Amino acid sequence: MPTPAHVSKIRLITLLVVFVLVLMVIWQNSDPIRLSVLVFSAVLPLMAWLILFLVIGVLMGVGLMWTYRRRP
């Protein structure tokens, strides 16, 4: 069984690697993108669009799950 000090070093290294990967993804997706849907048009960084659509999808999934739960 690994010692607690060894486990904490592994956790720290894992957190640093994940943090660096997240920063790389954010930096890679920082170019502004123009999105036009019918009469709506906006220019935002790609990461903002990705986060927006992720939040919309999660909310729709939670709403659908909630409606199925309320049925008898």
Side-chain angles (χ1 to χ4, degrees), residues 42-68:
V43 177
L44 287 173
L46 182 59
M47 184 57 73
W49 288 118
L50 293 172
I51 290 172
L52 176 70
F53 291 132
L54 174 72
V55 169
I56 290 171
V58 167
L59 290 176
M60 288 175 63
V62 168
L64 185 64
M65 181 181 63
W66 184 69
T67 59
Y68 281 141

Side-chain angles (χ1 to χ4, degrees), residues 7-49:
V7 171
S8 65
K9 283 183 183 179
I10 292 174
R11 285 183 184 168
L12 180 63
I13 291 171
T14 305
L15 284 174
L16 287 174
V17 169
V18 169
F19 182 70
V20 168
L21 289 174
V22 167
L23 285 179
M24 288 173 57
V25 168
I26 290 172
W27 177 69
Q28 181 182 6
N29 293 314
S30 62
D31 290 336
I33 302 292
R34 180 186 244 348
L35 181 70
S36 298
V37 179
L38 297 175
V39 296
F40 176 76
S41 180
V43 177
L44 287 173
L46 182 59
M47 184 57 73
W49 288 118

